[in-house]
Coordinates of all heavy atoms in Angstrom, one line a residue:
A70 N 21.2 27.5 5.8 CA 21.3 27.6 4.4 C 22.9 27.6 4.0 O 23.3 27.8 2.8 CB 20.8 28.9 3.9
N106 N 20.8 49.8 7.1 CA 20.1 50.4 8.2 C 18.6 50.4 7.9 O 18.1 51.2 7.2 CB 20.6 51.9 8.4 CG 22.0 51.9 8.7 OD1 22.6 51.1 9.5 ND2 22.8 52.9 8.1
Y113 N 1.1 52.4 13.8 CA 0.2 51.6 14.8 C 1.1 51.1 16.0 O 0.6 50.9 17.0 CB -0.5 50.5 14.1 CG 0.4 49.3 13.7 CD1 0.6 48.3 14.7 CD2 1.0 49.2 12.6 CE1 1.4 47.1 14.4 CE2 1.8 48.1 12.2 CZ 2.0 47.1 13.2 OH 2.8 46.0 12.9
V150 N 32.3 56.2 10.9 CA 33.6 56.3 11.6 C 34.5 55.1 11.3 O 35.6 55.3 11.0 CB 33.4 56.4 13.2 CG1 34.7 56.1 13.9 CG2 32.7 57.7 13.6
L194 N 27.3 62.7 -0.7 CA 28.2 63.9 -1.1 C 29.3 63.9 -0.1 O 30.5 64.1 -0.6 CB 27.4 65.2 -1.1 CG 26.1 65.3 -2.0 CD1 25.4 66.6 -1.8 CD2 26.6 65.1 -3.4
I201 N 33.3 55.7 0.1 CA 32.1 55.2 0.8 C 30.9 55.6 0.1 O 30.6 56.8 -0.3 CB 32.0 55.9 2.2 CG1 33.2 55.5 3.1 CG2 30.7 55.4 2.9 CD1 33.3 56.2 4.4
I257 N 27.2 54.1 -8.2 CA 25.9 54.6 -7.7 C 26.1 55.1 -6.3 O 26.6 54.3 -5.3 CB 24.9 53.5 -7.7 CG1 24.6 53.1 -9.2 CG2 23.6 54.0 -7.2 CD1 23.7 51.9 -9.3
Y268 N 4.3 51.6 -8.2 CA 3.5 52.6 -7.5 C 3.8 54.0 -7.8 O 3.0 54.8 -8.1 CB 3.7 52.2 -6.0 CG 2.7 53.0 -5.1 CD1 1.5 52.4 -4.7 CD2 2.9 54.3 -4.7 CE1 0.6 53.1 -3.8 CE2 2.1 55.0 -3.9 CZ 0.9 54.4 -3.4 OH 0.1 55.1 -2.6

Side-chain angles (χ1 to χ4, degrees):
N106 299 319
Y113 75 89
V150 168
L194 299 177
I201 299 171
I257 300 177
Y268 189 96

